[in-house]
């Protein structure tokens, strides 16, 4: 005579194995997607390393050779008391 508990256990084990297989397949797909993302981000990673090295080099060079202070030129505004000479206003010499 067959044991009904063994039949239920066999059904449960079959369902567990089927769900574990589905879970394993989903994890494999996830790993493949993550790997594809990492490959596509490689160029961005290399570019970020280049810019970081450039930033460090610029910082080091600025510390070694500081830039001089900017020279401020004095701006002269036209004096309102002295009229500007125009060719029409100048006296003619004969």
């Amino acid at each position: 005579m067959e044991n009904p508990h063994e039949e239920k256990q066999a059904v449960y084990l079959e369902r567990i194995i089927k769900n574990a297989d589905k879970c394993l397949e989903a994890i494999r797909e996830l790993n493949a997607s993550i790997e594809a993302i990492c490959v596509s981000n490689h160029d961005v990673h290399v570019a970020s390393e280049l810019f970081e090295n450039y930033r460090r080099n610029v910082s080091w060079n600025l510390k070694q050779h500081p830039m001089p202070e900017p020279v401020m030129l004095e701006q002269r505004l036209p004096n309102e008391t002295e009229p500007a000479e125009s060719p029409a206003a100048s006296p003619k010499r004969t």
Side-chain angles (χ1 to χ4, degrees), residues 11-24:
V11 170
Y12 290 151
L13 281 175
E14 186 178 327
R15 290 171 70 186
I16 290 171
I17 291 171
K18 195 180 294 184
N19 288 336
D21 286 341
K22 288 180 183 179
C23 183
L24 182 62

Side-chain angles (χ1 to χ4, degrees), residues 17-54:
I17 291 171
K18 195 180 294 184
N19 288 336
D21 286 341
K22 288 180 183 179
C23 183
L24 182 62
E25 183 62 30
I27 290 173
R28 285 183 179 149
E29 288 178 19
L30 179 64
N31 284 340
S33 298
I34 290 173
E35 187 175 338
I37 290 169
C38 288
V39 167
S40 66
N41 285 343
H42 180 70
D43 292 340
V44 174
H45 179 70
V46 169
S48 70
E49 285 180 349
L50 288 173
F51 279 105
E52 178 62 23
N53 288 338
Y54 177 75

